[in-house]
């Protein structure tokens, strides 16, 4: 994954570019009837939310076709947390971890400046 995005010391190998927000969340009154989760009991819960691109390149153009992600951390009482991780993806390119690694290795590294239009999907 690092080879695909290029070297970017100090950044994570995937989801290197993102935006972090903080706020509060309060579950609806109906949520209590379907869940015992603390953040769905009607109290206001502090949250941290991160929106990101999937690339390990922190300079990737936002117009480039890319998987998008959202991570939500609900900060619960007694220093506990609940997390939700979500990806916006039209499908997954592989059935097994080995096929996914082969998929990543088949991708040419992206160099800036990049064309924001998607490249043709490489043969895999």
């Amino acid at each position: 994954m690092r080879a695909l995005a290029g070297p970017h010391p100090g950044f994570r190998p995937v989801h290197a570019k993102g935006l972090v927000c903080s706020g509060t969340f309060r579950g609806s009154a109906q949520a209590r009837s379907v869940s015992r989760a603390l953040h769905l009991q009607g109290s206001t819960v502090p949250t941290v939310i991160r929106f990101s691109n999937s690339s390990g390149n922190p300079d990737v153009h936002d117009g480039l076709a890319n998987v998008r992600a959202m991570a939500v951390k609900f900060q619960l009482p007694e220093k506990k947390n609940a997390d939700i991780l979500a990806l916006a993806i039209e499908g997954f390119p592989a059935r097994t971890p080995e096929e996914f690694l082969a998929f990543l290795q088949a991708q040419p590294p992206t160099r800036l400046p990049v064309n924001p239009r998607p490249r043709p999907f490489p043969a895999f």
Side-chain angles (χ1 to χ4, degrees):
M1 291 180 138
R2 287 196 187 275
L4 182 62
H8 300 283
F11 289 90
R12 53 178 79 188
V14 293
H15 303 277
K17 180 179 185 180
L19 173 69
V20 178
C21 306
S22 63
T24 58
F25 172 85
R26 183 174 19 167
S28 71
Q30 293 83 7
R32 275 183 276 210
S33 68
V34 296
S35 177
R36 295 179 298 159
L38 291 176
H39 56 292
L40 298 177
Q41 300 309 303
S43 312
T44 300
V45 178
T47 59
V48 176
I49 304 165
R50 184 171 193 266
F51 299 96
S52 64
N53 292 334
S54 67
S55 174
N57 180 350
D59 301 315
V60 68
H61 189 285
D62 285 333
L64 187 65
N66 197 324
V67 174
R68 305 291 191 233
M70 179 181 78
V72 181
K73 181 175 289 297
F74 299 93
Q75 299 172 318
L76 304 174
E78 300 178 22
K79 298 186 180 184
K80 294 183 179 181
N81 295 307
D83 297 314
I84 295 177
L85 308 172
L87 295 174
I89 186 171
E90 292 184 17
F92 204 75
R95 292 173 292 169
T96 66
E98 294 78 16
E99 284 184 5
F100 184 57
L101 178 58
F103 167 76
L104 291 175
Q105 291 170 335
Q107 305 296 309
T110 301
R111 302 286 181 243
L112 291 177
V114 296
N115 183 342
R117 292 179 305 167
R119 294 180 305 209
F121 195 82
F124 166 66

